[in-house]
Amino acid sequence: MDSVVLDVHTGTREVVMDLTSRCEQFVSGRGDGLLHVFVPHATAGLALMELGSGSDTDLLAALDDLLPADDRWRHAHGSRGHGRSHVMPALIPPFLVVPVLGGRPALGTWQSIALIDLNVDNPDRQIRLSFLG
């Protein structure tokens, strides 16, 4: 298995960040195998989804409906509603696995690999990419 850690800056707003090209670069030329993507943070998740067509904004809106940024959360340090960020990974897991064929992620036509981050208190994240061939 080969691994690399990517440092990403998500800023101070909720974000859906496209990681697809960085994942493609990592597996390029490696043949067949599995790409494992992992975000080692208690307040972020990963998703395979269509991006750029409004789906990313729709996802953030749906998460806001499901997990409002208000004072209901018992985990109550940080910004208002911070506790929801700790619940989100139960809905959007912090890992995913993608088959790699001929050195390319075998994604569907409209699928992208996305980091989902609602935590506005932590603008810097790490992503671990691992290839098992």
Side-chain angles (χ1 to χ4, degrees):
M1 185 172 79
D2 185 24
S3 292
V4 66
V5 174
L6 307 176
D7 293 314
V8 297
H9 183 74
T10 56
T12 57
R13 294 177 43 195
E14 298 171 358
V15 68
V16 176
M17 178 181 282
D18 191 352
L19 301 174
T20 310
S21 65
R22 294 183 79 176
C23 291
E24 289 171 340
Q25 291 170 5
F26 176 68
V27 300
S28 179
R30 293 182 185 264
D32 296 347
L34 295 173
L35 169 65
H36 185 269
V37 185
F38 177 65
V39 55
H41 299 281
T43 58
L46 295 159
L48 288 175
M49 60 182 290
E50 181 178 4
L51 298 176
S53 62
S55 298
D56 35 359
T57 303
D58 290 342
L59 175 61
L60 291 176
L63 289 171
D64 192 49
D65 288 344
L66 288 169
L67 306 169
D70 59 21
D71 295 325
R72 75 183 68 201
W73 308 101
R74 289 183 182 94
H75 186 114
H77 71 85
S79 62
R80 186 171 188 259
H82 177 75
R84 76 190 191 122
S85 297
H86 288 273
V87 173
M88 190 205 62
L91 303 173
I92 300 175
F95 67 92
L96 55 82
V97 178
V98 177
V100 176
L101 301 173
R104 297 191 51 133
L107 297 170
T109 302
W110 302 111
Q111 285 182 317
S112 296
I113 299 168
L115 169 68
I116 316 302
D117 189 359
L118 301 181
N119 184 353
V120 299
D121 297 326
N122 185 356
D124 298 304
R125 299 296 186 172
Q126 291 187 323
I127 312 292
R128 178 174 294 280
L129 304 179
S130 299
F131 179 78
L132 181 62

